[in-house]
Amino acid sequence: QTTASGTNWTLKTAAAAWTKRENFGVVALPSGDVLVLGGTDGRFVFFNDVWLSRAGPNLGKVWEQKLRAAPWGGRAGFAAVVLTDGSVLVMGGCCEYYNDVWRSAPGQL
């Protein structure tokens, strides 16, 4: 959380519920909820899980696992975008150098 000027920040959690990771996707849904998608532990373990933090005072503090294993393979360094209907696209990534595109059902995350 920060002020409009960006100079003040508040730590929401020092240890989120999801496994430590890097090169993951993150998107904000139209509802204000935030998703964390996939990534890697930096030691060649790739994730395909999906975590949700709901809009409101606990945004960024409380996380719930929405999918333990999404149908797209574990990956890092991929692109993710939210469409106007609330669906999410996951595209490409490493380290099998994917060029696939996956779309969630609207409003289901």
Side-chain angles (χ1 to χ4, degrees):
Q1 180 177 338
T2 184
T3 62
S5 65
T7 58
N8 298 316
W9 292 74
T10 302
L11 178 65
K12 297 303 280 188
T13 183
W18 31 271
T19 305
K20 293 179 183 180
R21 63 191 65 207
E22 60 185 31
N23 297 313
F24 55 92
V26 60
V27 294
L29 299 174
S31 62
D33 297 347
V34 174
L35 294 177
V36 164
L37 309 131
T40 179
D41 69 354
R43 291 173 278 171
F44 301 103
V45 173
F46 296 89
F47 306 117
N48 61 334
D49 54 353
V50 178
W51 292 82
L52 172 80
S53 187
R54 297 201 182 276
N58 288 324
L59 180 66
K61 181 178 182 179
V62 176
W63 293 88
E64 68 177 274
Q65 189 173 48
K66 294 298 288 182
L67 291 171
R68 184 176 206 173
W72 36 270
R75 63 189 66 204
F78 57 92
V81 64
V82 176
L83 303 178
T84 57
D85 66 1
S87 63
V88 177
L89 290 182
V90 169
M91 301 166 279
C94 173
C95 263
E96 291 187 24
Y97 298 101
Y98 296 104
N99 64 340
D100 53 353
V101 178
W102 292 82
R103 184 177 181 179
S104 71
Q108 289 195 350
L109 291 174

